[in-house]
Amino acid sequence: MNKFAALIIDDEPDIRALIALTLKRMELDCYQAGSVSEALTLLQERPYHFCITDMKLPDGNGLDLIELCNTRHPDMPVAMITAYGNMELAVNALKAGAFDVVAKPLDTERLRELVKAALQLTKVPANIENLPSADGLLGQSASMRALKEKIFKVARTQAPVFIFGESGTGKELVARLIHHQSARMDQPFVAVNCGAIPRDLMETEFFGHTKGSFTGANSEKSGFFRAANGGTLFLDEVAELPLDMQAKLLRVIQEKAVRSVGAEFETPVDVRVLCASHKDLGLQVQAEEFRQDLYFRLNVIQINVPRLADRAEDIPLLIRHFIRKYSQEWGMPEIMLEDSAQQALLSYHYPGNVRELENILQRAVTLAEGDSISLSDLSLSKPIDEEPDDSNPRIETNNLEAYLENIERRAITQALEATRWNKTAAAEKLGISFRALRYRCKKLEID
Ligand SMILES: Nc1ncnc2c1ncn2[C@@H]1O[C@H](COP(=O)(O)OP(=O)(O)OP(=O)(O)O)[C@@H](O)[C@H]1O
């Protein structure tokens, strides 16, 4: 008797036999069913660590079986066999909760990898209550509880996920949690801010280059995809990718292989792609700024991360957490928050979300004199509509250029402060590209 058991569901005996042979070599006990009804009988008889099902079965379809297994056997990963190139079906299977999909004709090497990954899940806690609470995503509001539940569910599949939310809401934290609760947890997690990579370096940063492939390529570079091999690649601010890079990315995701700059052949890569943006990718597609085919590939499952202002009941918990964190960091006893400061924090609007609250408290703990934080230690910024109206400024200068530079500097600094120095979000606010903002910051010496 082996440690693991697998259930193979397919009406073609030859395919069942091929899968069983591969799985037995991996030391799994194999049980076979040729129809949904046979599968349901076997599912009642014993637990399985892995299940693989064909889409079309004589008395039903694999999608219904996946949904049923998700309800009755939520710990068992179910993979689905689909016809080669049927993207829509593959996406539907993942949306229905399939662990992963594998195309016909079956590639036994790919099947082995998939099974190995599925069995890794036996190491991951089987229900959300058993996860260590120190995982970092704080919040007890209904929207945060729903978010954690969804993270837990998608972590148990290989499906691509698009994480949508305003800047500073915790999108990267969500991506890290998905990785750490997934079958890939022992493999690398590589986070990339797509808006921060200079355009002419993008290809080598993503796909690497061979030694001597261009002047200055003195050594080989592996690139993000190969660095994340076996693990998870997190593409933050994915909407910032230029269209030509989007086409290259799509190809790598479809082919599961990368070709480095200067390389003759492609190298296979096994990477789960998670991505995030504060922009609505659907709208970007409509505006023809984002490829629809890539959008369908990346946005198989969407996770929405709530704004902090929409879950105000979590603010006290976060305040305590950040005060404790920064008091400990400075090696001082936990500092108190004066009532007026607490009230101000509870009613503040947080355009920069949790990152802004964290920055406010980090600064306040550092600046506070004595053992408490006062209202003035918080230096909260005013909502935009309370700012002085300077729509019609008087020009009192004989140096127009310096005057305009001053206005530009002020607008940029305000946008940066409002977004807690997140350049991608600040550029968005100002209606200019990330690159244009970087250029202007350099020119105006804004750090
Ligand atoms: N729910 C939370 N609990 C604890 N810390 C949080 C939470 N959400 C965010 N943070 C903290 O806030 C900061 C910003 O989070 P993160 O970088 O994940 O946001 P983001 O949405 O990816 O931002 P951006 O869009 O600007 O990249 C981090 O220091 C993170 O640890």
Side-chain angles (χ1 to χ4, degrees):
M1 197 69 168
N2 290 313
K3 196 169 146 222
F4 296 118
L7 177 60
I8 304 163
I9 312 163
D10 199 308
D11 55 340
E12 288 182 55
D14 290 353
I15 297 198
R16 286 204 308 266
L18 173 71
I19 300 174
L21 189 69
T22 312
L23 268 54
K24 277 181 189 154
R25 287 200 180 131
M26 298 176 74
E27 308 205 328
L28 274 90
D29 288 328
C30 294
Y31 297 79
Q32 302 184 23
S35 63
V36 174
S37 56
E38 273 178 43
L40 293 179
T41 312
L42 288 178
L43 278 165
Q44 278 173 356
E45 286 173 5
R46 52 156 302 137
Y48 301 90
H49 300 92
F50 174 69
C51 173
I52 182 164
T53 177
D54 193 12
M55 172 62 201
K56 281 201 201 112
L57 294 162
D59 55 348
N61 78 54
L63 280 183
D64 296 337
L65 206 54
I66 289 173
E67 274 165 12
L68 186 135
C69 287
N70 271 338
T71 326
R72 293 201 199 153
H73 311 277
D75 301 341
M76 176 181 70
V78 186
M80 167 105 122
I81 308 169
T82 59
Y84 180 78
N86 192 335
M87 245 291 284
E88 204 183 325
L89 191 57
V91 166
N92 287 343
L94 291 169
K95 280 192 199 291
F99 170 72
D100 203 352
V101 287
V102 54
K104 272 184 196 168
L106 288 178
D107 169 353
T108 49
E109 186 49 43
R110 158 110 182 92
L111 181 62
R112 256 198 299 274
E113 264 170 24
L114 188 151
V115 176
K116 249 194 267 164
L119 296 182
Q120 281 286 325
L121 282 182
T122 56
K123 292 191 198 161
V124 181
N127 72 56
I128 194 162
E129 271 73 43
N130 293 340
L131 288 171
S133 55
D135 262 346
L137 193 68
L138 299 178
Q140 289 303 328
S141 54
S143 57
M144 285 306 276
R145 276 189 274 126
L147 174 67
K148 288 185 217 179
E149 192 71 45
K150 188 145 189 191
I151 293 172
F152 176 74
K153 276 201 182 131
V154 301
R156 300 182 71 82
T157 79
Q158 306 275 50
V161 179
F162 170 56
I163 307 163
F164 178 54
E166 282 183 9
S167 180
T169 46
K171 298 187 293 299
E172 177 161 348
L173 208 52
V174 168
R176 285 184 187 275
L177 275 181
I178 295 176
H179 173 75
H180 286 298
Q181 293 176 18
S182 80
R184 296 169 178 264
M185 62 181 170
D186 295 331
Q187 302 295 324
F189 174 88
V190 176
V192 176
N193 183 342
C194 299
I197 308 169
R199 209 175 172 133
D200 45 350
L201 292 184
M202 270 198 174
E203 194 164 352
T204 55
E205 290 291 335
F206 273 88
F207 312 128
H209 60 69
T210 57
K211 189 175 170 183
S213 52
F214 52 87
T215 323
N218 298 328
S219 58
E220 189 188 325
K221 183 182 176 75
S222 58
F224 300 138
F225 269 92
R226 282 196 287 162
N229 199 14
T232 306
L233 179 60
F234 172 55
L235 305 178
D236 200 1
E237 299 305 350
V238 69
E240 305 309 313
L241 282 178
L243 283 163
D244 59 333
M245 244 344 256
Q246 291 177 24
K248 288 177 183 152
L249 188 66
L250 178 68
R251 200 186 134 70
V252 173
I253 294 173
Q254 266 166 350
E255 300 303 317
K256 295 186 192 301
V258 280
R259 187 198 298 230
S260 307
V261 174
E264 215 173 318
F265 302 106
E266 292 192 326
T267 318
V269 282
D270 164 31
V271 169
R272 181 182 193 184
V273 178
L274 306 177
C275 61
S277 177
H278 65 282
K279 287 186 182 164
D280 182 333
L281 276 193
L283 292 180
Q284 298 287 110
V285 171
Q286 276 172 25
E288 298 187 359
E289 283 164 7
F290 204 83
R291 289 181 67 112
Q292 189 172 44
D293 42 12
L294 181 61
Y295 172 69
F296 284 136
R297 276 275 159 171
L298 296 176
N299 190 9
V300 171
I301 293 173
Q302 180 165 327
I303 290 189
N304 296 329
V305 188
R307 296 162 64 226
L308 182 55
D310 292 339
R311 53 182 189 99
E313 63 267 50
D314 288 334
I315 297 175
L317 176 77
L318 288 161
I319 293 177
R320 279 197 301 279
H321 168 74
F322 290 127
I323 292 186
R324 189 171 310 135
K325 175 175 166 186
Y326 288 105
S327 302
Q328 274 172 6
E329 208 159 275
W330 303 131
M332 51 209 246
E334 201 167 308
I335 204 160
M336 300 291 297
L337 193 60
E338 288 176 11
D339 278 351
S340 55
Q342 169 94 9
Q343 280 315 318
L345 285 177
L346 292 180
S347 51
Y348 184 61
H349 57 297
Y350 298 102
N353 293 293
V354 185
R355 177 184 293 113
E356 178 168 18
L357 175 60
E358 178 167 6
N359 288 349
I360 291 170
L361 289 170
Q362 180 183 20
R363 199 173 44 216
V365 172
T366 319
L367 294 180
E369 286 169 6
D371 53 8
S372 64
I373 295 173
S374 68
L375 182 57
S376 62
D377 291 329
L378 298 176
S379 20
L380 298 178
S381 66
K382 289 197 176 68
I384 302 287
D385 49 8
E386 283 178 27
E387 281 178 8
D389 176 15
D390 55 3
S391 54
N392 200 4
R394 282 182 50 206
I395 302 179
E396 289 170 7
T397 177
N398 55 3
N399 185 342
L400 183 62
E401 209 156 299
Y403 175 81
L404 291 176
E405 273 196 358
N406 265 339
I407 294 188
E408 199 178 348
R409 183 176 292 108
R410 206 171 135 209
I412 291 177
T413 314
Q414 273 178 2
L416 285 166
E417 275 172 5
T419 57
R420 294 290 139 190
W421 295 84
N422 178 314
K423 283 197 180 149
T424 314
E428 167 97 338
K429 216 174 168 55
L430 292 162
I432 59 177
S433 70
F434 178 85
R435 275 167 272 277
L437 176 62
R438 205 173 41 191
Y439 166 77
R440 285 185 157 94
C441 285
K442 206 167 165 193
K443 189 183 83 175
L444 299 168
E445 296 179 345
I446 301 171
D447 199 351

